[in-house]
Amino acid sequence: MPKTASNLGNPIAQNPIALVWHRRDLRIDDNPALSEAIAQVGDRGIVLGVFIFDPDILDDGVTEGSKVDFMLGCLRELQANYRRLGSDLLFMLGQPVNSICELAKAVKASHVFFNQDVEPFAIKRDREATNALQELGIKVQSFIDIGLIAPDAIATQAGEPYKVYTPFWRNWQAKLKPKPFDAPQKLTGLASYENLPVISLPSLRELKFINDITLPKAGEAAAIELLEAFCDGNGILRYQTERDFPAHAGTSTLSPHLRFGTVGIRRVWEKAIVAEQLVRSEEEATGITTWKQELAWREFYQHVLFYFPELETGAYRPQMRNFPWDDDEEKFVAWCEGRTGYPIVDAAMRQLNQTGWMHNRCRMIVASFLTKDLIINWQWGERYFMQKLLDGDLAANNGGWQWSASSGMDPKPLRIFNPASQARKYDPEGEYILRWLPELQGLTTAELLSGNIPPHQCKKRDYPLPIVDHSIQQQKFKQLYKDCKASP
C-alpha cells in the first residue's frame, strides 16, 4: 500500500485519476479496461480499481453463498495484485450508478473505464452510469471483453442477427481474433485512502451468506494454472474424445473462471492456437477444433441474448410460450435433490449440490429429464441451476435450457434424451454414478445402467424407484409438443 498522507487534496489535484470498474473481469492480465486506463492517464496518472457490491443482486433470491464465497476469493486476489503493483482495489456497497458517481466525485476522477456485458440488466446499468458520469464531466469508455467478437460485430449476409449456431460458427471462426493485453507491471495509487466512501472487503458472513461446499481454487492464478494444464498437456488434444464422459477429467473446468473473468478470453484463445503446434494426428486437431466450437457456443448465446433480451423471461419459440407443463412440485424437489430413481440423473444433481458444478453432458441429461420426462417448466430448472452453479451465467444457462426444452433457437428442436441409454454410452462402467451414489455399490453394471433397478435392490439401499416411466412420458411430451406446434 502507498504511504498514508494527511489529506487527499494534493495528489488528486496534480494527477489524472482513472477508475477501473470491475464486474465480471476479476483479473489484471488481458484486461482491456485496465490496459486502456494505464495508456490514457500515462506515467503521471493514478489508476484505481473499484468493485461495487449491489444489494439488488445479493438479495435477488437466486444468488447463493457458494457463488459469493468464490467471488470473494477472486476479489481478495485481485486486490492483492493491485496492491502488489502499487495501487488498490476499492470496495463499495450500494446502488451501482450512485456508488460509482460518488466515488468518482470523491477522488476527482477524470476517467472511468469498464468492460461490457450482454445481460439486459447490465446493459441498462451501464447506460445509466455512463450518462450520469458524463454529466459530471468524466470521460467514460467501455470495451469488449466477455467474448472474442462483439455481439453486434457479427451478422448474416442480410445484416440480421444469427438464430442458428452452425452459420454463426462459420462466420465467427473466420474472423480475426484479438490478441491478449499484457498484465501491467506497475500502477500508481493515491497517497491516502482516507475519507473515501469505501468499505473493506466484506466477509461472507457480513454479506449474510453461508457456504457449506468445498470450492475450487478461486482467482486469477488458479485460472491460469487450469488453462495451462488443459492446453499445455493433452487435455485440449483429447477434448473431442474425452469431453462427454463425466467420470473422466476430459474438460477444462474453466467455466467458473470465465464466469467471473479471472481469465481473459483472448488469453484462452491464444493458448488454444499455441496448442495447435502440438498436434500429431487428425484426432488431436479435431480436439482443438471442438474446443474452439465450444467457445463459439458461448459467444452464440451471448449474441442471441444481446439481440433478443426477451429470452431472459420466456421461450424463443412462440408455440412454447403457452406449453401446458405439469409443474409437479414434489417431482421437482425430487429432481433437485437427486431422488428420481434414475441413477445418471441423481448422480449429476448430487454433483451439482455438493460441488457447485456439473459436467456438461450431464447438464443436458438432467435438463432433458426435467422437461421431457417430468414435463416441468424449463424455467424452474434454469433458476435452480443459477442458484447452484458457480459458473451460472444468464446467456449460457438460458441458452442451454431453452435448447433442452425445445423452446430455443434450434433447427431440430425436438430432442429427448433417454437417461438409461445416455448412461450406457457415456458412463459405461458406472464410475460416475457410483462416485456420487455410493449407496448403489454392489449392483451389477447392467443394473446401474438399466434405468430400472430391481425394486428389492432399491429398498435395500434406500434408493427411490423411478418416479416416472420414461417411455410413457416421452410419448406424452411428443403429443403435447405436436398439439402446441399445431395451435395458432
Side-chain angles (χ1 to χ4, degrees), residues 474-486:
Q474 70 168 343
Q475 292 305 317
K476 179 179 178 180
F477 183 89
K478 286 178 179 179
Q479 186 60 51
L480 291 171
Y481 183 81
K482 182 180 178 181
D483 293 344
C484 270
K485 194 174 180 182

Side-chain angles (χ1 to χ4, degrees), residues 206-477:
E206 288 170 334
L207 291 175
K208 299 182 172 59
F209 286 95
I210 59 172
N211 173 35
D212 56 3
I213 69 173
T214 301
L215 296 173
K217 289 182 181 178
E220 189 170 354
I224 292 297
E225 183 178 340
L226 282 175
L227 177 62
E228 291 180 346
F230 181 69
C231 291
D232 295 349
N234 292 321
I236 194 170
L237 302 179
R238 297 194 308 261
Y239 185 69
Q240 168 62 21
T241 56
E242 293 288 317
R243 68 185 180 124
D244 276 321
F245 296 89
H248 303 176
T251 67
S252 70
T253 64
L254 274 171
S255 54
H257 294 280
L258 288 169
R259 162 63 183 85
F260 286 99
T262 52
V263 63
I265 191 63
R266 290 156 299 274
R267 191 67 70 193
V268 170
W269 184 259
E270 177 190 58
K271 283 289 187 181
I273 298 303
V274 171
E276 288 182 322
Q277 300 172 14
L278 304 175
V279 167
R280 300 177 299 272
S281 67
E282 184 176 340
E283 181 181 279
E284 292 181 344
T286 302
I288 295 179
T289 298
T290 304
W291 168 246
K292 290 178 178 179
Q293 288 172 334
E294 290 302 306
L295 297 179
W297 266 111
R298 178 175 176 269
E299 297 199 18
F300 173 68
Y301 286 142
Q302 294 170 6
H303 175 85
V304 297
L305 180 63
F306 178 82
Y307 279 106
F308 304 97
E310 62 271 18
L311 292 172
E312 181 181 11
T313 56
Y316 171 72
R317 292 181 178 276
Q319 64 268 31
M320 293 300 290
R321 292 172 191 164
N322 296 306
F323 189 86
W325 301 104
D326 284 353
D327 290 348
D328 185 308
E329 291 191 12
E330 287 188 13
K331 288 185 173 67
F332 178 67
V333 170
W335 177 85
C336 292
E337 295 178 352
R339 296 186 293 102
T340 69
Y342 285 84
I344 190 69
V345 173
D346 295 340
M349 296 306 294
R350 293 222 199 150
Q351 181 182 34
L352 172 63
N353 293 331
Q354 294 176 31
T355 70
W357 189 82
M358 187 193 293
H359 189 278
N360 188 61
R361 169 56 55 176
C362 296
R363 296 186 196 205
M364 293 188 284
I365 293 170
V366 303
S368 178
F369 187 84
L370 183 75
T371 57
K372 308 295 175 59
D373 287 68
L374 301 184
I375 313 183
I376 288 175
N377 192 330
W378 60 270
Q379 291 171 300
W380 291 25
E382 179 195 31
R383 181 180 174 86
Y384 191 75
F385 267 31
M386 284 297 286
Q387 287 177 318
K388 295 294 183 179
L389 284 170
L390 294 178
D391 61 23
D393 168 270
L394 175 58
N397 192 46
N398 181 277
W401 272 98
Q402 295 227 35
W403 184 89
S404 294
S406 301
S407 66
M409 295 178 177
D410 190 338
K412 297 179 180 179
L414 188 55
R415 289 183 171 89
I416 299 178
F417 284 14
N418 182 321
S421 60
Q422 289 285 308
R424 287 192 292 268
K425 186 173 182 179
Y426 298 113
D427 190 28
E429 301 303 320
E431 297 172 73
Y432 177 77
I433 290 172
L434 291 176
R435 183 179 304 164
W436 298 104
L437 302 178
E439 66 268 32
L440 299 185
Q441 293 280 354
L443 292 176
T444 67
T445 302
E447 288 173 328
L448 274 179
L449 305 180
S450 67
N452 191 19
I453 297 173
H456 73 280
Q457 295 285 21
C458 290
K459 184 176 181 180
K460 179 180 177 181
R461 291 167 169 78
D462 193 26
Y463 182 72
L465 292 168
I467 58 175
V468 292
D469 184 307
H470 171 73
S471 60
I472 293 174
Q473 292 299 102
Q474 70 168 343
Q475 292 305 317
K476 179 179 178 180
F477 183 89

Side-chain angles (χ1 to χ4, degrees), residues 69-74 77 216-223 257 262:
D69 201 7
F70 185 83
M71 180 182 71
L72 290 174
C74 298
E77 182 179 305
K217 289 182 181 178
E220 189 170 354
H257 294 280
T262 52

Side-chain angles (χ1 to χ4, degrees), residues 135-272:
E135 287 180 4
L136 296 173
I138 296 168
K139 186 176 181 180
V140 183
Q141 287 183 263
S142 63
F143 306 88
I144 302 302
D145 180 64
I146 196 170
L148 289 161
I149 308 296
D152 57 353
I154 186 168
T156 67
Q157 289 183 344
E160 298 291 328
Y162 282 98
K163 300 175 185 177
V164 178
Y165 169 77
T166 301
F168 174 89
W169 154 252
R170 285 196 294 263
N171 191 336
W172 182 91
Q173 62 90 22
K175 286 187 175 294
L176 184 67
K177 308 300 188 296
K179 293 182 178 180
F181 296 84
D182 292 334
Q185 300 302 307
K186 182 181 179 182
L187 295 172
T188 301
L190 291 174
S192 170
Y193 294 93
E194 297 173 0
N195 304 317
L196 294 182
V198 297
I199 61 173
S200 299
L201 177 63
S203 67
L204 190 66
R205 188 173 184 177
E206 288 170 334
L207 291 175
K208 299 182 172 59
F209 286 95
I210 59 172
N211 173 35
D212 56 3
I213 69 173
T214 301
L215 296 173
K217 289 182 181 178
E220 189 170 354
I224 292 297
E225 183 178 340
L226 282 175
L227 177 62
E228 291 180 346
F230 181 69
C231 291
D232 295 349
N234 292 321
I236 194 170
L237 302 179
R238 297 194 308 261
Y239 185 69
Q240 168 62 21
T241 56
E242 293 288 317
R243 68 185 180 124
D244 276 321
F245 296 89
H248 303 176
T251 67
S252 70
T253 64
L254 274 171
S255 54
H257 294 280
L258 288 169
R259 162 63 183 85
F260 286 99
T262 52
V263 63
I265 191 63
R266 290 156 299 274
R267 191 67 70 193
V268 170
W269 184 259
E270 177 190 58
K271 283 289 187 181

Side-chain angles (χ1 to χ4, degrees), residues 102-149:
E102 183 183 8
L103 181 61
K105 287 189 290 185
V107 301
K108 296 183 172 60
S110 56
H111 300 70
V112 172
F113 300 88
F114 62 83
N115 293 314
Q116 299 169 13
D117 200 343
V118 297
E119 297 183 5
F121 162 81
I123 291 173
K124 180 176 181 289
R125 174 201 63 200
D126 293 349
R127 182 170 57 246
E128 292 175 355
T130 297
N131 291 338
L133 288 164
Q134 288 176 340
E135 287 180 4
L136 296 173
I138 296 168
K139 186 176 181 180
V140 183
Q141 287 183 263
S142 63
F143 306 88
I144 302 302
D145 180 64
I146 196 170
L148 289 161
I149 308 296

